[in-house]
Amino acid sequence: MPPRLTPNRLAALRMAAAHPKGSIDARSVTKADELALEELGLADSIDDCGHVQGAPDPEGEHRGHPHFFRITEAGRTAAADES
């Protein structure tokens, strides 16, 4: 069964949409929520340049950048649509 957008996950997305960098506070979601948001494409580990952790990086320019759990554009859309 695919994950769904629960009230807790939606609340985390709304808070992230209001955050200047789109960060999701790890204290606001469980590990299961993190995995579900990633699987739904609503959040991911993203660096300040917008590179998703694990995505191709042939130049090696993102390897040293810290990645944070952040909302994606799809997550912003979902948060706005559910308002």
Side-chain angles (χ1 to χ4, degrees):
M1 175 179 218
R4 57 190 177 82
L5 188 56
T6 64
N8 189 53
R9 294 169 188 166
L10 179 58
L13 290 177
R14 286 183 177 148
M15 288 191 314
H19 188 279
K21 290 196 174 202
S23 295
I24 297 175
D25 185 346
R27 296 169 295 183
S28 70
V29 291
T30 66
K31 189 62 178 175
D33 290 331
E34 283 187 28
L35 294 172
L37 289 170
E38 285 179 344
E39 188 173 334
L40 291 166
L42 305 177
D44 217 327
S45 294
I46 304 169
D47 68 12
D48 283 340
C49 300
H51 180 258
V52 175
Q53 191 171 20
D57 183 19
E59 310 298 318
E61 59 189 14
H62 295 281
R63 291 194 184 135
H65 293 190
H67 289 76
F68 301 95
F69 194 57
R70 294 184 172 151
I71 192 171
T72 62
E73 285 305 313
R76 289 183 187 283
T77 300
D81 288 349
E82 296 291 327
S83 293

